[in-house]
Every structure is written in structure tokens, then in C-alpha cells.
């Protein structure tokens, strides 16, 4: 009988020692929670794990042990010494270990080797298994994938996700479209790994509950299901720190954050004819109020999403690599992931995002808004 994806994941982890864990760019609570929780669970199983996320993790999640998360691949890799033999040919090669050092000895056929003929190209990273969390495709992993694509072709990949647009890029794919979050899926994965609930320590439970709470907006979103509530209750019973999660994510705002949110409200644009509203945060806005980029987190859910009479809301945030668009559905049945796809983005039905290159004149803010207006017109007819 063929094993289920969950059973295949258990077997793959049992036979691996060095496991690479990755999640997507612009990490949200589900990405951070699933990454941290999986690392903690693997550690308890005696496995080595390397955690990678291509972008900075918001300080909002500083209550989780994120200090081991790196923006690039680190860990076990080959060390390569390269000798140019185009001009001087090698006759023989040997090495000796003396006084705690490895000495490589290359004898030339004629002439001599010079120091500038030697370089040290980066060797390949080593991993027995790659686990990708909360990402619909490999491209969403950013530079760690782009700069190490050979590793992803040579190493078995486990893909665990809940996005409808998932590419099923893994050798093993556990994609549950009914789950509210990747963290919700991991609860049963961890139970299968241990055969009981022993992996659901308070630290693991807190990380997993973070993902469920953030992806359901504290169970306020329409994607909340009876199962998500049951799983959340199970995590609370496992001593997840629900109070700390709520306090950090929803009840802790610095003065620069509040000032920045005021800028957002001041800059609201009403596109009622096209059934959406949008606002923008420019670089100078961050500077003028002394806020960091991460201080924009939460504004779209706390403020913009309370708008009435529209289908969705959009927040455009200017960052170093372009304009980051965050979309939230307001009206029932509106899929904002479809709008994100207009700009090669993605996400959930209720929450999605995209990035447009600031250096591309065809993708400035005005043209982004115009493209969304055209989409709304084609979808619903002009002057709704």
C-alpha cells in the first residue's frame, strides 16, 4: 500500500540527519511560526536543522526563538581549493595531515605553481532533506533558492503548504487547501513523527499557535474552521502562550508605529467606483516619524480592513527593492490572490501580496492602481 504524504514525510525525516528548513520572502506569522516550530521539533528528535528565510523577521515575533534563522544558506558545505593548471601542468598530487593541518602537495611537470593560481570557490552545501514551509513555489524562497538551485535539484524536497496555487514542486507534497495555515498542518505531522503529543512542547505550541492566529486574524477571518479552533484549543492545552501572542501581535504599538498609521489614514484613496480603497507609505514617511519598515505590519488589518462598501483594501509600502503591495479581502467571495497575480504575486483568498520593481517605469504606483481598476472593470463592469 502506498504511503500517504504525511507518512512519507515521517520516513524521510527518520532517515535524514541534516535538514534544511526554508520559508518565503516577507515572512508572516505562519511562515515564522512553522519554521521555528519545525526546528524545535527536529532538535527534540536529535536532528540537525538549518533555518533560512530570505528577509528580516519582524520584531513583533521576537518572543519566538528566531535567532538561528539566517537570510542565506549556512552550515555543512564542501571546501574547494582550485588550482589553475592551464599554464603549469600537474604531474602528481598528494596530501598529508601534519600537526592538525592538511597539506596538499601538487608536483608540477615543469615550471612552478604560484599563489595567484589558487582560489577558493564556494563549495556546495550539504543537506539530506529540504523542507519548504508555507511557500507556493520555489521562486518565493528568493536568493537562497536562486543562488543554490543545484542543491534543490539534487536533494529531496518536502513541500508543506496550504495555498491554493501551490506548484506541488516537492518530491513529497503535503498541501492541504482546507487548512487555515501551515502551522495547523504541522500539528498532525508532529504527532505522526512522535506517535504522540510529546513534540508539542510549550515552545513548539506557541510557535504553531502564532501561525494559526495570524493567518485567521485571531479567528476573525472567514477562513476560520471548526478544525482550526479545535487545533488551537489543543495547542492552548499544550501550554501555548496565547496571552503573549495576542499582546505582541495586537496590543503592542510604539509611538512611531502609531504616527506611521496616522500617515496611512491621511493618505487613503477612495476608489469606490471600482470597489476598493488604497493607501501608500513612502520612504520619507518612515523617516519623518522615525519608524522602521516593520512598523507598517498590521496596519492593513487593524485600520484599512475596517472599510465598508468595498471589495478589498490595498496598502503599498515603498521599500528598498520596490513597492510591496498588501491586499485584504473585505467582501465575501472576493479573492485578492487573483489581483496579486496581476503583478506575479500570490497568497490566500483573503490575504495576498506582491512586489513591483521601483526601477521599472511600467510599474509605478499610478500604473499599478490603473491596472487594478482595469481588472475591477473587466470583472464587475465600470462604475459599480
Amino acid at each position: 500500500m502506498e504511503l500517504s504524504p504525511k507518512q512519507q514525510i515521517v520516513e524521510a525525516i527518520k532517515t535524514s540527519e541534516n535538514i534544511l528548513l526554508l520559508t518565503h520572502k516577507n515572512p508572516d506569522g505562519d511562515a515564522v511560526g512553522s519554521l521555528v516550530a519545525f526546528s524545535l521539533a527536529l532538535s527534540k528528535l536529535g536532528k540537525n536543522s538549518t533555518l533560512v528565510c530570505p528577509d528580516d523577521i519582524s520584531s513583533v515575533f521576537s518572543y519566538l526563538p528566531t535567532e538561528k534563522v539566517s537570510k542565506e544558506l549556512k552550515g555543512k558545505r564542501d571546501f574547494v581549493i582550485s588550482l589553475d593548471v592551464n599554464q603549469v601542468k600537474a604531474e602528481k598530487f598528494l596530501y598529508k595531515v601534519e600537526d592538525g593541518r592538511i597539506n596538499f602537495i601538487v608536483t608540477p611537470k615543469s615550471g612552478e605553481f604560484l599563489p595567484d593560481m589558487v582560489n577558493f570557490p564556494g563549495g556546495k552545501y550539504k543537506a539530506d532533506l529540504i523542507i519548504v514551509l508555507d511557500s507556493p513555489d520555489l521562486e518565493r524562497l528568493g536568493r537562497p533558492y536562486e543562488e543554490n538551485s543545484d542543491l534543490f535539484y539534487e536533494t529531496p524536497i518536502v513541500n508543506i503548504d496550504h495555498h491554493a496555487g501551490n506548484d506541488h514542486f516537492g518530491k513529497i507534497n503535503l498541501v492541504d487547501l482546507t487548512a487555515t495555515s501551515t502551522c495547523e498542518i504541522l500539528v498532525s505531522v508532529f504527532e505522526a513523527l512522535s506517535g504522540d503529543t510529546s513534540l508539542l512542547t510549550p515552545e513548539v505550541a506557541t510557535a504553531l499557535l502564532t501561525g494559526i492566529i495570524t493567518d485567521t486574524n485571531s479567528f476573525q477571518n472567514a477562513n476560520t474552521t471548526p478544525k482550526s479552533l479545535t487545533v488551537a484549543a489543543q495547542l492552548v492545552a499544550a501550554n501555548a502562550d496565547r496571552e503573549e501572542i495576542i499582546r505582541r501581535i495586537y496590543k503592542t504599538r510604539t509611538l512611531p508605529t502609531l504616527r506611521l498609521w496616522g500617515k496611512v489614514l491621511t493618505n487613503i484613496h477612495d476608489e469606490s467606483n471600482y470597489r476598493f480603497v488604497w493607501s501608500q507609505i513612502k520612504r520619507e514617511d518612515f523617516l519623518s516619524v522615525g519608524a522602521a519598515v516593520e512598523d507598517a505590519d498590521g496596519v492593513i488589518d487593524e485600520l484599512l480592513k475596517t472599510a465598508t462598501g468595498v471589495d478589498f483594501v490595498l496598502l503599498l509600502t515603498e521599500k528598498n527593492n520596490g513597492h510591496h503591495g498588501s491586499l485584504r479581502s473585505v467582501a465575501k467571495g472576493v479573492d485578492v490572490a487573483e489581483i496579486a497575480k496581476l503583478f506575479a504575486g500570490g497568497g490566500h483568498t483573503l490575504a495576498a501580496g506582491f512586489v513591483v520593481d521601483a526601477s521599472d517605469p511600467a510599474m509605478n504606483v499610478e500604473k499599478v492602481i490603473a491596472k487594478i481598476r482595469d481588472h475591477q472593470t473587466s470583472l464587475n463592469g465600470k462604475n459599480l
Side-chain angles (χ1 to χ4, degrees):
M1 181 183 295
E2 185 177 355
L3 297 177
S4 68
K6 190 184 301 181
Q7 291 169 327
Q8 293 178 54
I9 291 172
V10 170
E11 292 304 312
I13 290 174
K14 284 182 177 179
T15 56
S16 301
E17 291 299 325
N18 300 297
I19 299 172
L20 176 60
L21 301 171
L22 303 103
T23 193
H24 58 77
K25 296 182 284 187
N26 303 312
D28 56 7
D30 193 25
V32 176
S34 58
L35 194 68
V36 168
F38 222 127
S39 175
L40 292 171
L42 289 176
S43 179
K44 193 166 185 183
L45 291 171
K47 307 292 183 179
N48 301 315
S49 64
T50 301
L51 290 72
V52 179
C53 176
D55 289 328
D56 291 328
I57 293 174
S58 171
S59 61
V60 168
F61 303 113
S62 61
Y63 61 91
L64 297 176
T66 60
E67 62 277 357
K68 292 183 180 180
V69 181
S70 172
K71 294 172 70 173
E72 56 187 24
L73 294 190
K74 293 182 179 180
K76 185 179 178 182
R77 65 185 301 186
D78 293 331
F79 180 72
V80 179
I81 302 172
S82 178
L83 175 65
D84 186 347
V85 294
N86 284 311
Q87 299 178 24
V88 178
K89 303 301 180 183
E91 183 175 51
K92 62 180 180 179
F93 164 79
L94 58 90
Y95 73 91
K96 295 180 179 178
V97 179
E98 298 176 329
D99 299 325
R101 302 176 64 88
I102 301 177
N103 296 312
F104 299 95
I105 303 167
V106 184
T107 304
K109 285 187 176 181
S110 62
E112 64 176 326
F113 292 114
L114 302 175
D116 60 5
M117 296 178 182
V118 180
N119 60 47
F120 307 92
K124 292 182 180 180
Y125 286 96
K126 299 294 185 181
D128 303 322
L129 185 68
I130 295 174
I131 301 178
V132 178
L133 299 162
D134 198 45
S135 185
D137 51 55
L138 290 173
E139 287 71 22
R140 207 66 55 88
L141 301 179
R143 290 180 60 186
Y145 167 68
E146 295 163 3
E147 296 175 354
N148 303 276
S149 57
D150 287 351
L151 176 65
F152 289 82
Y153 288 113
E154 298 168 357
T155 311
I157 297 175
V158 172
N159 165 28
I160 305 178
D161 188 30
H162 67 118
H163 293 94
N166 190 281
D167 285 349
H168 287 77
F169 52 83
K171 180 180 180 181
I172 305 171
N173 298 285
L174 179 55
V175 180
D176 185 355
L177 305 186
T178 68
T180 61
S181 58
T182 298
C183 283
E184 180 182 318
I185 300 171
L186 292 187
V187 173
S188 62
V189 172
F190 293 168
E191 289 175 340
L193 274 168
S194 61
D196 53 30
T197 61
S198 60
L199 291 181
L200 296 180
T201 63
E203 294 78 15
V204 170
T206 298
L208 294 176
L209 188 59
T210 294
I212 296 174
I213 286 178
T214 53
D215 262 19
T216 61
N217 193 22
S218 195
F219 308 104
Q220 296 178 78
N221 289 349
N223 67 335
T224 303
T225 64
K227 182 179 178 181
S228 62
L229 293 170
T230 300
V231 171
Q234 180 183 358
L235 294 174
V236 172
N239 292 315
D241 197 341
R242 184 188 64 85
E243 292 80 6
E244 182 70 357
I245 296 171
I246 298 299
R247 186 179 73 84
R248 293 296 193 99
I249 295 175
Y250 297 109
K251 294 183 177 181
T252 303
R253 306 295 180 215
T254 64
L255 285 177
T257 297
L258 295 176
R259 294 188 183 106
L260 185 66
W261 288 16
K263 293 272 188 182
V264 172
L265 292 178
T266 301
N267 294 332
I268 285 180
H269 298 263
D270 182 6
E271 302 283 347
S272 56
N273 284 348
Y274 303 93
R275 297 193 61 79
F276 74 99
V277 298
W278 65 280
S279 187
Q280 181 183 12
I281 307 176
K282 299 179 180 180
R283 284 194 186 93
E284 52 262 37
D285 293 328
F286 289 107
L287 294 173
S288 66
V289 299
V293 170
E294 64 190 39
D295 290 324
D297 296 341
V299 63
I300 191 166
D301 291 309
E302 293 292 324
L303 299 179
L304 294 185
K305 200 176 174 184
T306 60
T308 59
V310 296
D311 290 341
F312 63 90
V313 295
L314 165 68
L315 177 65
L316 291 169
T317 305
E318 190 176 7
K319 300 182 182 180
N320 291 333
N321 60 336
H323 296 287
H324 290 238
S326 296
L327 293 147
R328 295 294 184 272
S329 177
V330 176
K332 188 175 182 179
V334 175
D335 184 358
V336 292
E338 291 300 317
I339 300 167
K341 288 178 183 177
L342 298 173
F343 310 99
H348 314 294
T349 299
L350 300 175
F354 61 87
V355 180
V356 294
D357 188 347
S359 64
D360 184 356
M363 278 295 134
N364 59 34
V365 170
E366 291 75 18
K367 291 179 180 178
V368 167
I369 298 303
K371 194 168 185 177
I372 295 176
R373 289 178 188 142
D374 290 343
H375 170 83
Q376 288 294 92
T377 297
S378 65
L379 190 66
N380 299 309
K382 193 173 183 180
N383 297 324
L384 298 173

